[in-house]
């Protein structure tokens, strides 16, 4: 047997087989895959999050008022059910009338959503639980109902916003507590973000005007897990004498990804 010829033939075969192997992913493809994995976790798996929310609203009418609310709490989510529990145990509001005195209040807001039922207890208004039949909205004698925060920080809605604008993501590198992260940015109008997601669009439009600009940043770690989410928006609400400019800012720091969360309807 001609071993030299056989060796040459084997070398050609190796080159051919090697050339037929899978192509290496491009950086863009890796980024898209990482984002999709993070979104699947964010919108489709239970989680707990530390929540910080700031809301600032100013009325242009005379005499007018300015309302500032700062909220700190915990958000639990069971998107498979679906169910969520937003417990804003520290809420401070400052209402400035022009002309008139400044009023400071503190209390707590808790919003539990199970299926299509939403339960709210807002100690800034009352200590009793109430059921919202049509979802939260901008209401209340002082112009803003903090219960709407539940839809503003709904991670299933945020997930669909990212998917609607995914395209070719270009994350920015970042370091958090010594860990390498990729930061995915999003900016679009609420209606544009959710053009292909009717259910998420309906939920978002219960608290945002369709032309409101929505900005978000999602921190994803090296294991493609969502770790932090920041959101900002500024919009005008046209409601006659209660018309106002609203600025909204929220940060969610995610924990317990994939672990079951206990969420039950309130009693009493």
């Amino acid at each position: 047997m001609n071993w030299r010829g056989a060796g040459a033939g084997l070398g050609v075969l190796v080159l051919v087989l090697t050339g037929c192997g899978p192509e290496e992913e491009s950086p863009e493809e890796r980024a898209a895959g990482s984002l999709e994995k993070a979104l699947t976790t964010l919108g489709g798996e239970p989680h707990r999050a530390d929540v910080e929310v700031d809301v600032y609203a100013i009325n242009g009418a005379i005499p007018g008022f300015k309302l500032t609310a700062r909220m700190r709490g915990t958000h639990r989510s069971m998107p498979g059910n679906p169910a969520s529990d937003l417990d804003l145990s520290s809420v401070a509001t400052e209402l400035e009338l022009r002309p008139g005195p400044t009023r400071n209040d503190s209390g707590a807001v808790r919003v539990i959503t199970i299926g299509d039922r939403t339960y709210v207890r807002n100690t800034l208004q009352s200590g009793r639980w109430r059921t919202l039949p049509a979802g939260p909205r901008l209401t209340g004698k002082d112009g803003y109902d903090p219960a709407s925060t539940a839809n503003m920080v709904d991670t299933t809605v945020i997930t669909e916003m990212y998917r609607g604008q995914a395209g070719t993501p270009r994350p920015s590198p970042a370091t958090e507590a010594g860990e390498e992260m990729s930061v995915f940015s999003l900016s679009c109008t609420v209606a544009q973000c959710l053009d292909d997601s009717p259910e998420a669009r309906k939920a978002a439009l219960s608290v945002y005007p369709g032309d409101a600009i929505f900005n978000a940043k999602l921190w994803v770690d090296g294991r493609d897990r969502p770790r932090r989410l920041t959101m900002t928006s500024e919009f005008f609400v046209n409601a006659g004498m209660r018309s106002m400019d609203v600025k909204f800012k929220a940060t969610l720091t995610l924990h317990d990804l994939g672990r079951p969360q206990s969420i039950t309807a309130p009693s009493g």
Side-chain angles (χ1 to χ4, degrees), residues 204-218:
L205 292 181
S206 71
V207 289
Y208 290 108
D211 59 355
I213 300 295
F214 187 89
N215 301 287
K217 290 186 176 181
L218 178 64

Side-chain angles (χ1 to χ4, degrees), residues 119-136:
Y119 308 89
V120 178
R121 183 173 62 192
N122 181 355
T123 64
L124 296 173
Q125 296 175 344
S126 168
R128 300 178 58 185
W129 284 98
R130 59 191 175 97
T131 302
L132 299 181

Side-chain angles (χ1 to χ4, degrees), residues 47-245:
H47 62 260
R48 179 176 63 84
D50 301 327
V51 180
E52 297 183 5
V53 182
D54 288 316
V55 179
Y56 171 87
I58 186 165
N59 186 355
I62 302 298
F65 62 85
K66 179 180 72 175
L67 173 66
T68 303
R70 292 181 174 85
M71 312 176 196
R72 303 292 183 270
T74 301
H75 179 261
R76 289 178 170 84
S77 176
M78 289 286 287
N81 287 355
S84 65
D85 185 348
L86 181 62
D87 182 10
L88 294 166
S89 56
S90 175
V91 181
T93 65
E94 178 182 317
L95 180 65
E96 178 185 328
L97 298 174
R98 301 191 312 274
T102 296
R103 195 182 80 201
N104 295 291
D105 293 318
S106 62
V109 175
R110 189 171 179 188
V111 183
I112 297 176
T113 301
I114 301 177
D116 59 355
R117 299 294 297 274
T118 299
Y119 308 89
V120 178
R121 183 173 62 192
N122 181 355
T123 64
L124 296 173
Q125 296 175 344
S126 168
R128 300 178 58 185
W129 284 98
R130 59 191 175 97
T131 302
L132 299 181
R137 60 190 62 176
L138 291 166
T139 58
K141 61 185 177 66
D142 290 337
Y144 185 78
D145 184 354
S148 62
T149 307
N151 269 13
M152 285 182 166
V153 298
D154 186 338
T155 52
T156 58
V157 172
I158 309 304
T159 295
E160 292 306 312
M161 285 185 169
Y162 265 95
R163 285 198 172 117
Q165 298 296 305
T168 304
R170 293 181 174 84
S172 301
T175 303
E176 292 283 336
E179 187 174 1
E180 297 297 323
M181 300 272 184
S182 296
V183 182
F184 294 87
S185 299
L186 167 72
S187 181
C188 55
T189 66
V190 171
Q192 176 191 13
C193 285
L194 297 167
D195 195 41
D196 297 325
S197 304
E199 288 301 317
R201 180 187 176 100
K202 180 180 178 181
L205 292 181
S206 71
V207 289
Y208 290 108
D211 59 355
I213 300 295
F214 187 89
N215 301 287
K217 290 186 176 181
L218 178 64
W219 276 255
V220 178
D221 67 15
R223 295 165 60 186
D224 301 330
R225 299 178 302 175
R227 300 292 295 275
R228 186 152 63 100
L229 175 66
T230 62
M231 299 162 279
T232 62
S233 187
E234 182 175 355
F235 51 90
F236 179 74
V237 177
N238 187 2
M241 290 297 292
R242 292 297 187 186
S243 297
M244 65 188 78
D245 288 307

